[in-house]
Amino acid sequence: MTAVALATACAVIFGTADFFGGLATRRSRVLAVVVISQVGGLLLVCALMPVLPGTASASALLWGMASGVAGAAGIVLFYQALASGMMSVVAPTTATTSMAVPVLFGLVRGERPPLTALAGIVLGLLAVLMVSRESGGAASGSRVGPIVSALASGAGFGGFFVLLKLAPAGSGLWPLAGARIASISLVVLLALASRKTLRPIPGALPVTIAAGVLDMAANILYLLAARGGMLSLVGVLVSLYPASTLLLARYVLDERLNRIQIAGVGFALGAVALIALPA
């Protein structure tokens, strides 16, 4: 139950972070948003190290850095998709892919959730697919580019979840520190190679930092949930984050939701309830 609560809270915060990240990419350069938001997240990890201590080891840092590389690739592609497509389309598409990777990995490793939780997994996948539908019933996103980027970013995020799960249990927040160091280094090198500036557009800095801090807060909740629960269940709950992104996009940006998307949000709540039922 603790893992379910942490994963659900993680999904809400992830969705809010993605909303702020989408706003930032519409106001500033993608690589600048990624680096500055990641630095904000690293500062949060450093501040919380005394609160959630752990043992620093080469294994913890290496698994964290591997997850950071996957996450950095995912977030660059995700922010590019957000900048060129609708938030209410990109976020669910990414989540569908990012959900599949940890669920399949957990099942292959021998995790066997109870029947109610398996029903919740199916309902959760259906919920993600529903919130990514247009009014006409076709899959959202007539523009192919943002959808391809969203699918690729979902694979990166799914890899991030799996690799972070493999870090030693007693390592505290060190895997996340390693992840941020790797992701920041990778994006800076990418910016240098492509000769793109990392200077943010004036006025975009507060939103960018907020996105990074919220994203790291969600990562911390995920790490705690993954250590205490089955990856096949935690991964599903975390991947329901588009529900909060959709609601924020609806009420802040006035992006319209159709009946299928609204039903999908309801299905997401049902999936959480099924997974939370005792075995």
Side-chain angles (χ1 to χ4, degrees):
M1 290 298 293
T2 301
V4 168
L6 289 171
T8 304
C10 172
V12 174
I13 297 175
F14 257 139
T16 306
D18 287 344
F19 175 77
F20 280 103
L23 290 180
T25 53
R26 293 182 180 185
R27 301 176 185 179
S28 189
R29 305 172 180 92
V30 172
L31 293 183
V33 169
V34 174
V35 168
I36 294 172
S37 64
Q38 298 278 293
V39 169
L42 180 59
L43 293 176
L44 179 62
V45 166
C46 293
L48 292 178
M49 281 286 190
V51 181
L52 297 169
T55 303
S57 65
S59 177
L61 291 174
L62 288 174
W63 281 117
M65 292 177 74
S67 69
V69 171
I75 202 166
V76 169
L77 291 166
F78 183 63
Y79 281 172
Q80 284 181 338
L82 285 174
S84 57
M86 289 182 62
M87 278 191 197
S88 52
V89 173
V90 170
T93 304
T94 302
T96 304
T97 311
S98 66
M99 176 192 293
V101 175
V103 169
L104 291 175
F105 182 82
L107 293 176
V108 168
R109 290 189 73 192
E111 293 182 357
R112 295 295 179 264
L115 289 178
T116 52
L118 288 173
I121 291 175
V122 174
L123 191 61
L125 178 58
L126 180 61
V128 174
L129 292 173
M130 289 176 69
V131 295
S132 63
R133 307 293 284 188
E134 286 181 343
S135 297
S140 287
S142 54
R143 299 178 61 183
V144 175
I147 295 299
V148 172
S149 295
L151 290 170
S153 72
F157 289 145
F160 172 83
F161 292 141
V162 170
L163 292 167
L164 205 57
K165 167 74 172 179
L166 296 175
S171 54
L173 299 181
W174 285 104
L176 289 176
R180 280 298 175 264
I181 291 170
S183 61
I184 292 170
S185 301
L186 183 62
V187 177
V188 169
L189 289 174
L190 178 62
L192 292 174
S194 59
R195 297 183 178 180
K196 292 184 178 180
T197 180
L198 295 176
R199 182 180 301 173
I201 300 297
L205 190 58
V207 178
T208 303
I209 293 176
V213 170
L214 288 170
D215 180 70
M216 179 52 70
N219 284 331
I220 293 171
L221 290 174
Y222 166 76
L223 188 61
L224 297 174
R227 287 172 177 171
M230 287 186 286
L231 185 60
S232 54
L233 299 184
V234 170
V236 171
L237 293 174
V238 171
S239 297
L240 295 177
Y241 69 85
S244 55
T245 307
L246 279 174
L247 293 176
L248 286 169
R250 168 65 183 89
Y251 290 106
V252 178
L253 301 180
D254 201 29
E255 290 188 1
R256 299 296 178 182
L257 304 182
N258 57 56
R259 293 179 180 177
I260 296 177
Q261 289 175 316
I262 293 172
V265 173
F267 276 37
L269 296 176
V272 174
L274 284 172
I275 293 173
L277 288 175

